[in-house]
Amino acid sequence: VDVRMGSAMRVLIVDDDPATVSFMRLAFESAGDAVATASSVEEAMRRVACCPPDVVLSDLTLGRDGADVGDGFLLLRNLRSLPETAHAGVLAVSGADHPEVLRAAEERGFDGFVTKPVDVASLIERVHRLGPVVAARRTSTMSRSPGDV
């Protein structure tokens, strides 16, 4: 899939709230994007193994009982560690818009932060603006030879 501005994107939505997943899936599919979904880090990693996404939208607090709080950060580390997904754009999605959460998301390498409730039109625009960034990362990664540092 070509990831120029305005072209179809492969989007992975990772959230444990079925209503949020359905809402975002419908919006991105209506925009012409290919959408996969997952409700946990483990499921997300299985999805990326078979079809690496261009952009991942990850809830930061997966797990209803609070036991898995921060799993969005774990997912980001996993994605960045794999050659197939190191280039992907990753946006944190959370209802917790406290300054310390925003700072942590930025410091740990998310490409942006989206506050719930989500404004769908601006989210789709933001994801599509990541297209050139993803393409540049992919090109940079592919142009390096194994001996490069």
Side-chain angles (χ1 to χ4, degrees):
V1 173
D2 188 2
V3 288
R4 294 183 311 263
M5 176 81 165
S7 65
M9 304 282 286
R10 289 184 312 257
V11 179
L12 174 62
I13 300 165
V14 186
D15 200 303
D16 58 356
D17 177 39
T20 298
V21 171
S22 295
F23 171 68
M24 291 199 306
R25 173 192 278 277
L26 180 61
F28 280 99
E29 286 177 343
S30 295
D33 297 311
V35 180
T37 64
S39 61
S40 68
V41 173
E42 296 77 18
E43 186 180 2
M45 296 311 294
R46 286 193 301 271
R47 296 268 187 264
V48 303
C50 66
C51 186
D54 297 312
V55 176
V56 177
L57 305 173
S58 177
D59 187 7
L60 292 180
T61 53
L62 299 166
R64 297 191 188 289
D65 61 4
D68 295 330
V69 170
D71 267 1
F73 293 107
L74 173 62
L75 177 59
L76 176 68
R77 282 193 309 274
N78 289 347
L79 293 169
R80 294 291 187 234
S81 71
L82 298 174
E84 306 83 18
T85 54
H87 64 272
V90 185
L91 296 176
V93 181
S94 181
D97 62 350
H98 308 292
E100 60 274 7
V101 175
L102 295 168
R103 188 170 40 259
E106 181 180 311
E107 288 173 357
R108 294 188 187 176
F110 280 94
D111 293 300
F113 189 93
V114 178
T115 304
K116 290 180 183 178
V118 173
D119 175 338
V120 175
S122 65
L123 178 60
I124 291 171
E125 179 184 331
R126 231 171 138 178
V127 164
H128 284 257
R129 278 197 322 251
L130 274 174
V133 174
V134 172
R137 285 181 189 162
R138 183 179 291 131
T139 302
S140 170
T141 303
M142 291 169 58
S143 65
R144 284 191 223 136
S145 66
D148 289 350
V149 177

